[in-house]
Amino acid sequence: MDGLMMDYQLTLPTILRRAEQYFGGKEVVTRLPDKSFHRYTYADMTRRAKQLAAALQKLGLERGDRVGTLCWNHYQHLEAYFGIPCAGFVLHTLNLRLHPNDIGYIALNAGDRALIVDASLMPLVEQFLPRTKVEHVFVVEESYEELLASADEGEWRDPGLEENEAAAMCYTSGTTGLPKGVVYTHRSTMLHTLGVAAANPLGLGLSEQDVILPVVPMFHANAWGYPYVAAMQGAKQVFPGPHLDAESLLDDFVQERVTWTAGVPTIWLGILQLLDAEPKRWDLSAMKGMLVGGSAAPRSMIAGFQERHGLRVCHGWGMTETSPVASMASLPGELAQADRDTQYDYIAMQGVPLPLVELRARGADGNEIPHDGETMAELEVRGPWVAGAYYDTPGTSGRWTEDGWFRTGDIVSFDPQGHIQIKDRSKDVIKSGGEWISSVDLENALMAHPAVAEAAVIAVPDEKWQERPLAVVVVKQGATATPEQLREFIAPHFAKWWLPDHVVFVSEIPKTAVGKFKKTALREQFSAQPVA
Ligand code: ADP
């Protein structure tokens, strides 16, 4: 027997209409390149998003055509997040930190026909544009305004989208291998939005009363869904524009009374250092939580924010292929009164999957690994906002198992309650004498040392053991440490053979285009050259 409910398609115009109808007066604030603030409301945003949608439709693009953006986080980018998919086109966020050759490859591979770009990024566009099929370029504040003026909001009609039509596209940033396109549907985006809103990490769910500032760029995996979550919930949004230094961000948090923010650990490590240096300068009493993800959030950082500044860190895990948010750390209710160390152990893990997402890890025998917190294997994931294939990238079907789960390439353990802990990426895990050493565990332990600002651990070739860990460390300004001191500091937490044989000090760890430690570059640098 079939059910008798409406066949209601899950498409983004629903969120657009909701934001307009119920939250029209709520603010969207942007820090402009000259550092002044631009303010308008959701009513303005939805009006302009509709104008954008109608204007793009008039250009003669066909349904499903890709429209790229090459922009920082700002209100025009938010308009594109709605205007492009609500017109029946596909929002393709390009990563402005990539090499122009890579951006050109990605824009061509995706078949972008139009591009919305920040004026400051035009010199970058000129370097790759001739290699693409882009026919129209709209410059923010300039020709983008003319485009909007060419249509009236009343001209926009909901194109009657089907939920499985493409809404957006994003390429994996290529920390490993060639960038690969992930194509989100309206349905996957809507369910991801609901899933993130439902996650309620550490009891800190988001509502109309929140003020959200996504530090995560809008070109990095949909800014983790926050533009849509905020619009659906009616939360005020604050965009930092190009001003991503710790001081500007802290100023924004204070001035706009930000309650929720999100970004990769390297951003928060910088912010924590600044807060430690000047603990009284910023009043962050409005801030209820910060989502940290994209790389492992060091336990010492989570504890540092909480103990020294009263700020709660929520730890999330995901990938471009999972829209991206797939799991969030959680504290089981029975541990609400537990000592802080026990609590941090849980919060530092990557937690349990969001509703509708399923996780598993299987050993070499094909059976699920024991949930003992120790056994490690590759994490597999499935759910309604997990990619089922890459766009036009032959030879990648092996990333999916025969029974349809996505192989993440992440190595995890499960604790008895099913909380995952990401131990490594399969490409980064150190294989020493046939055993695995988790580079993430070593990094977290090193970053707990008071003199250490950042630490990355990589595998270096070793004749006897095949690979051995090498730690690359940045010390905090004015601090000192020796390799022996660091080894001694972490020794109590590890078997002896896990300890890095060598510790090298550098002034900076190279970062990827989305701000993660670039271990490929470190491996290149240190594998060839013997270290003292
Ligand atoms: P890239 O592969 O270019 O880094 P993604 O942003 O899609 O692009 O990265 C996804 C990967 O980031 C995951 O597979 C995982 O290795 C890592 N990651 C994401 N969140 C976490 C986290 N909380 N802890 C550890 N690793 C994480």
Side-chain angles (χ1 to χ4, degrees):
M1 177 182 175
D2 286 338
L4 292 172
M5 305 309 281
M6 287 184 190
D7 181 18
Y8 184 88
Q9 299 289 296
L10 304 179
T11 63
L12 283 167
T14 310
I15 298 185
L16 184 75
R17 283 192 290 267
R18 178 178 166 84
E20 177 184 43
Q21 227 176 322
Y22 301 106
F23 311 118
K26 297 302 291 276
E27 256 190 323
V28 176
V29 181
T30 300
R31 183 87 95 130
L32 298 173
D34 69 2
K35 287 209 133 186
S36 65
F37 286 91
H38 172 277
R39 295 170 181 279
Y40 74 175
T41 62
Y42 273 122
D44 299 316
M45 187 283 281
T46 53
R47 175 176 44 78
R48 285 170 52 93
K50 287 186 201 168
Q51 279 178 274
L52 172 62
L56 286 172
Q57 283 168 334
K58 285 188 189 176
L59 279 183
L61 302 182
E62 284 171 32
R63 186 120 157 193
D65 274 345
R66 270 71 69 205
V67 179
T69 58
L70 192 71
C71 299
W72 294 100
N73 289 12
H74 47 53
Y75 67 96
Q76 296 96 336
H77 212 165
L78 182 64
E79 291 160 11
Y81 259 57
F82 282 99
I84 295 169
C86 291
F89 307 125
V90 181
L91 164 75
H92 178 201
T93 49
L94 289 158
N95 183 337
L96 55 87
R97 294 212 183 95
L98 293 178
H99 189 279
N101 288 348
D102 289 332
I103 309 180
Y105 165 81
I106 289 171
L108 180 65
N109 185 261
D112 294 347
R113 287 190 65 191
L115 182 64
I116 298 172
V117 59
D118 284 356
S120 61
L121 298 170
M122 273 313 286
L124 177 59
V125 170
E126 276 148 23
Q127 293 179 61
F128 68 79
L129 198 66
R131 268 172 279 151
T132 68
K133 292 200 178 118
V134 172
E135 298 153 49
H136 311 275
V137 176
F138 302 105
V139 181
V140 170
E141 307 276 353
E142 298 170 17
S143 47
Y144 175 77
E145 287 303 319
E146 290 162 27
L147 175 71
L148 258 61
S150 71
D152 187 76
E153 67 166 319
E155 289 177 71
W156 175 72
R157 297 271 172 278
D158 181 340
L161 293 154
E162 307 259 332
E163 63 182 16
N164 282 319
E165 284 184 64
M169 226 176 151
C170 193
Y171 280 67
T172 59
S173 57
T175 314
T176 51
L178 259 187
K180 295 178 281 295
V182 177
V183 186
Y184 309 103
T185 60
H186 279 264
R187 175 187 154 86
S188 71
T189 307
M190 292 294 282
L191 290 172
H192 178 257
T193 306
L194 285 170
V196 174
N200 197 16
L202 310 180
L204 302 173
L206 299 177
S207 77
E208 181 264 344
Q209 289 164 32
D210 281 292
V211 180
I212 301 181
L213 186 154
V215 181
V216 48
M218 291 169 91
F219 54 76
H220 182 198
N222 308 309
W224 302 353
Y226 282 110
Y228 296 128
V229 174
M232 182 181 79
Q233 301 290 62
K236 170 175 160 181
Q237 305 200 43
V238 182
F239 295 111
H243 307 292
L244 296 176
D245 61 287
E247 193 169 347
S248 303
L249 289 170
L250 283 163
D251 289 347
D252 291 348
F253 295 160
V254 175
Q255 152 144 351
E256 299 302 322
R257 309 258 325 139
V258 170
T259 65
W260 190 262
T261 169
V264 293
T266 46
I267 293 271
W268 306 116
L269 286 168
I271 286 186
L272 182 58
Q273 265 197 65
L274 199 54
L275 283 177
D276 284 346
E278 298 182 69
K280 299 241 162 348
R281 183 165 157 201
W282 290 278
D283 168 16
L284 298 177
S285 53
M287 182 76 79
K288 66 181 197 190
M290 34 225 281
L291 184 75
V292 183
S295 302
R299 187 182 186 281
S300 56
M301 185 189 89
I302 296 173
F305 272 115
Q306 172 113 33
E307 314 253 305
R308 302 197 288 279
H309 308 285
L311 294 170
R312 314 243 358 227
V313 170
C314 301
H315 193 192
W317 169 83
M319 313 176 69
T320 304
E321 290 89 335
T322 63
S323 291
V325 188
S327 81
M328 281 203 198
S330 80
L331 189 65
E334 64 266 26
L335 293 181
Q337 304 307 325
D339 61 283
R340 287 196 160 175
D341 271 338
T342 311
Q343 294 196 354
Y344 294 143
D345 284 345
Y346 269 86
I347 302 171
M349 288 201 266
Q350 286 79 1
V352 295
L354 263 49
L356 308 186
V357 174
E358 294 184 79
L359 301 175
R360 75 176 185 195
R362 296 175 301 154
D365 58 4
N367 294 324
E368 291 226 14
I369 55 169
H371 287 191
D372 56 10
E374 282 182 12
T375 311
M376 296 187 231
E378 185 181 21
L379 180 66
E380 297 173 350
V381 57
R382 71 174 180 188
W385 56 85
V386 178
Y390 290 116
Y391 178 70
D392 194 19
T393 314
T396 47
S397 59
R399 289 296 299 271
W400 286 266
T401 65
E402 277 176 4
D403 57 348
W405 293 63
F406 177 67
R407 297 184 217 269
T408 64
D410 285 341
I411 306 295
V412 287
S413 63
F414 280 80
D415 92 332
Q417 306 206 48
H419 295 241
I420 55 162
Q421 184 162 22
I422 306 280
K423 295 291 193 176
D424 236 318
R425 288 188 153 191
S426 51
K427 297 220 156 67
D428 294 335
V429 72
I430 300 146
K431 296 166 191 104
S432 178
E435 300 280 349
W436 284 354
I437 296 176
S438 157
S439 65
V440 173
D441 284 355
L442 290 171
E443 287 160 6
N444 285 347
L446 287 164
M447 285 192 269
H449 189 282
V452 175
E454 291 181 345
V457 176
I458 53 163
V460 286
D462 183 274
E463 267 182 27
K464 183 162 175 209
W465 301 107
Q466 184 189 0
E467 286 180 352
R468 290 294 302 151
L470 167 98
V472 186
V473 172
V474 180
V475 288
K476 288 184 187 156
Q477 229 177 356
T480 51
T482 63
E484 290 66 40
Q485 283 167 345
L486 294 183
R487 256 196 302 268
E488 254 169 54
F489 179 75
I490 64 170
H493 308 291
F494 299 102
K496 217 163 164 220
W497 59 274
W498 272 51
L499 298 181
D501 298 332
H502 299 285
V503 179
V504 287
F505 294 99
V506 295
S507 57
E508 204 184 338
I509 292 178
K511 309 276 180 348
T512 71
V514 292
K516 306 183 189 188
F517 294 153
K518 195 171 188 175
K519 293 197 179 174
T520 44
L522 289 177
R523 276 196 289 265
E524 262 167 45
Q525 190 179 344
F526 292 106
S527 294
Q529 135 202 347
V531 277

